[in-house]
Amino acid sequence: MQFIKIDKNNWSKYRTSILQFVKCHGEFEHTSESYAWLFQLKKDDLDEPGTILHIVLWDGKIIAIAALEQYGLQFSIFIVSPQYRKTDVIIMLYKEISSRVGVYYTKIDYKDIDKIMMALKAGLVSFTYEKTTTGQIALWFGSGHWHSSDIDEKEVL
């Protein structure tokens, strides 16, 4: 298993594969938003503080991705290929991102018990919740030196 940080030097090499992976394996309600964000991403955007894009390769194939904007405050996705969802790949990905950036945030649907359990096992902390645009409840998780005041009070219930 290989963790690769995507930067402006390797973005063009992996861009098409990342977009195909998101289209095939993204969760239905988030796929179009995730795809649109990644499709519009330019290689220079990867130099922005808090813009993070990592992939996990197994035998040369992408099995997981993590993408964050503004350390996850604006946008965050963690997608794992279905055949690897019951493994520790996402835990290792959560930890890898934390070790590289020090702090990040992500939202997880409150019904996604598996993803919540993996986040907790990886050391993330759930500290508040919000109602999403689709009316679902999402839990905010923070990793590293997170602080609840980083989340805009207007967005939180």
Side-chain angles (χ1 to χ4, degrees):
M1 191 170 356
Q2 184 180 13
F3 292 87
I4 297 175
K5 178 184 184 226
I6 304 300
D7 58 26
K8 68 180 181 181
N9 297 321
N10 61 8
W11 171 236
S12 58
K13 176 181 178 181
Y14 292 107
R15 183 177 187 270
T16 302
S17 298
I18 290 169
L19 291 170
Q20 287 173 342
F21 181 84
V22 170
K23 201 177 235 186
C24 291
H25 302 297
E27 297 167 358
F28 179 73
E29 65 273 11
H30 304 294
T31 300
S32 61
E33 176 189 8
S34 303
Y35 188 85
W37 186 83
L38 287 164
F39 186 80
Q40 295 170 7
L41 189 68
K42 307 287 184 254
K43 68 179 182 178
D44 290 333
D45 294 338
L46 294 165
D47 285 339
E48 292 292 319
T51 300
I52 299 145
L53 182 56
H54 280 69
I55 61 173
V56 181
L57 298 179
W58 183 266
D59 289 333
K61 294 176 102 177
I62 297 176
I63 62 167
I65 72 161
L68 297 97
E69 182 180 17
Q70 291 187 355
Y71 299 99
L73 295 171
Q74 287 288 65
F75 174 79
S76 71
I77 56 166
F78 289 83
I79 301 173
V80 179
S81 178
Q83 57 264 47
Y84 295 94
R85 287 188 184 150
K86 297 291 184 186
T87 68
D88 287 346
V89 168
I90 195 159
I91 293 172
M92 291 185 282
L93 187 55
Y94 283 141
K95 288 180 177 181
E96 178 75 11
I97 299 295
S98 187
S99 72
R100 290 189 185 231
V101 298
V103 63
Y104 71 89
Y105 301 88
T106 190
K107 289 187 283 188
I108 301 174
D109 187 311
Y110 83 101
K111 293 179 182 177
D112 195 342
I113 302 301
D114 289 338
K115 205 177 254 188
I116 290 170
M117 295 302 293
M118 297 289 191
L120 293 171
K121 285 181 183 178
L124 279 75
V125 176
S126 178
F127 58 91
T128 193
Y129 64 96
E130 76 177 38
K131 191 176 266 190
T132 66
T133 56
T134 61
Q136 296 291 330
I137 301 295
L139 302 175
W140 274 100
F141 283 81
S143 178
H145 304 291
W146 63 272
H147 197 278
S148 60
S149 64
D150 290 342
I151 305 300
D152 188 1
E153 297 290 330
K154 295 180 289 189
E155 293 183 8
V156 178
L157 293 175

